[in-house]
Amino acid sequence: KKEGRKFPVEIGSSIQENYNISLELPEGYTVEYLPQAIKLELPDNLGSYYFAVSEGDTSINAIRKLSLNRPIYSAAEAAGLRELFLRIVEVEAEKIILTKVE
């Protein structure tokens, strides 16, 4: 979390996470707001993040992809990694808003 890191960040291994989530809308509800899709990339193909939410006929579908391509990031690369994770936390904290149809 700290800025100005002096040592490398050791993740342990490269990471490839892919999540596809489908949520069925409750009967009588409609989607009022969905978060915007976002794609973030670290320089030199060090990692990336993709998040998108879409509305189906009776469902909400979410895709989340995180890729960290190295097990160790240098202290110089740590600032980019830190920014990536700060943005991920912001994006994933956004709310999906449903409204009841009368």
Side-chain angles (χ1 to χ4, degrees), residues 79-98:
L81 196 61
R82 180 179 181 275
E83 284 301 314
L84 177 73
F85 279 102
L86 287 173
R87 288 290 292 139
I88 289 172
V89 169
E90 280 179 17
V91 168
E92 293 184 2
E94 285 192 52
K95 306 289 188 231
I96 295 171
I97 301 173
L98 303 178

Side-chain angles (χ1 to χ4, degrees), residues 40-91:
L40 306 170
E41 294 185 0
L42 292 173
D44 302 323
N45 196 33
L46 294 176
S48 63
Y49 172 76
Y50 175 74
F51 180 76
V53 181
S54 61
E55 180 180 2
D57 291 336
T58 60
S59 65
I60 297 172
N61 304 300
I63 297 172
R64 178 193 189 269
K65 296 179 181 183
L66 175 65
S67 175
L68 298 175
N69 299 326
R70 292 199 298 180
I72 299 174
Y73 289 80
S74 71
E77 297 163 337
L81 196 61
R82 180 179 181 275
E83 284 301 314
L84 177 73
F85 279 102
L86 287 173
R87 288 290 292 139
I88 289 172
V89 169
E90 280 179 17
V91 168

